Amino acid sequence: MQTAYTKEELRSLLAPVRGKRIVLVPTMGALHEGHATLLRQARVLAGEDGVVVASVFLNPVQFDNAGDLATYPKSPAQDSETCDSCGVDVVFMPTPDVMYCADRSITLEETHLSSVLCGASRPGHFAGVCLVVNKLFNLVQPTDAIFGKKDYQQFAILRRMVRDLDMPITLHGAEIVREADGLALSSRNVRLTPEHRAAAPAIRRSLLAAAEAYSAGKDVQIVCAQVRGALESIPGVRCDYVELVDAETLHDLTDPDRLALLAVAAWFGDVRLIDNIELFRA
Ligand code: AMP
């Protein structure tokens, strides 16, 4: 595996492989088994002849909360080892100064899917995501990119970006990787108190119970209220949102025959966790 710290290093490492399948997996580091799964999927997708590129970049532009950025876990040496062991060919590890010009003045805003769910409570977050992913796409020029469905809204918005801007890149959504007790893997899980870590699998349990209620025909509002009630009965837990929406538009589900998404964001103390489940009416 080779490591690029600058855009120039990245370009020269990729120059000889232009024309091959190039699969990109963007990450913010503090890699866990969820990321590793995406990297291994990228290796399979690229095949023997293709190239897997991972980026490890804690993107300051997508953080709406300075405290969250400051406390975000970092483990660059371990991240390198993880990338290597998952078959990554090139890892790109820029600093913010390498990535952004100090007087940058272009923004990239998706205006429909970003207005709901996490976008409603994290102003500017998805514009920051679109900007950095667009830059990574320009630098790497991948044929394919893999994103996790844990960040379902992010995946939906990036799919829209690729469609609306005619980017010649195929996006792949990877299923959520979980702990044995059901908690979705997240770099933020290490910041949970032991009590909240023990309680957090309630998110998955309440989503599964809601999925059953929904497929049995229960009213959408009641299904969401059940999830909220179950989570907010845990001391120190407050839901940011619990919403059942159309899985593609992320807005109201007007056609019950379409794929739905039940998405939740909840504060466990000062740690914000997200999870979701795709739903069909039976
Ligand atoms: P992040 O480093 O949090 O930006 O995540 C990088 C990529 O890994 C994103 O596409 C995430 O959706 C994905 N990812 C993070 N956690 C998981 C997980 N538990 N399961 C599947 N994908 C994940």
Side-chain angles (χ1 to χ4, degrees), residues 26-29 32 34-35 38 72 146-148 150-151 154 175-177 184-185:
T27 81
M28 296 201 300
H32 51 62
H35 300 109
L38 265 60
Y72 200 88
I146 304 185
F147 295 89
K150 169 161 179 294
D151 301 276
Q154 167 173 281
E175 296 307 322
I176 301 176
V177 181
L185 292 185

Side-chain angles (χ1 to χ4, degrees), residues 235-272:
V237 174
R238 185 176 59 78
C239 288
D240 182 1
Y241 63 76
V242 178
E243 285 186 48
L244 203 155
V245 294
D246 183 295
E248 190 190 331
T249 68
L250 306 184
H251 283 69
D252 286 349
L253 185 71
T254 47
D255 177 356
D257 289 336
R258 280 171 59 86
L259 184 64
L261 178 78
L262 177 57
V264 54
W267 289 96
F268 279 61
D270 64 353
V271 183
R272 188 174 180 277

Side-chain angles (χ1 to χ4, degrees), residues 25-38 41 55-58 62 72 129 146-152 154-155 158 172 174-179 183-189 274:
V25 181
T27 81
M28 296 201 300
L31 301 185
H32 51 62
E33 189 52 35
H35 300 109
T37 304
L38 265 60
Q41 287 177 8
S55 58
V56 175
F57 176 57
L58 188 54
Q62 72 189 68
Y72 200 88
V129 169
I146 304 185
F147 295 89
K149 287 197 203 169
K150 169 161 179 294
D151 301 276
Y152 202 98
Q154 167 173 281
F155 180 56
L158 293 173
H172 306 263
E175 296 307 322
I176 301 176
V177 181
R178 300 176 179 283
E179 300 280 6
L183 176 63
L185 292 185
S186 163
S187 306
R188 292 185 177 89
N189 291 352
I274 57 171

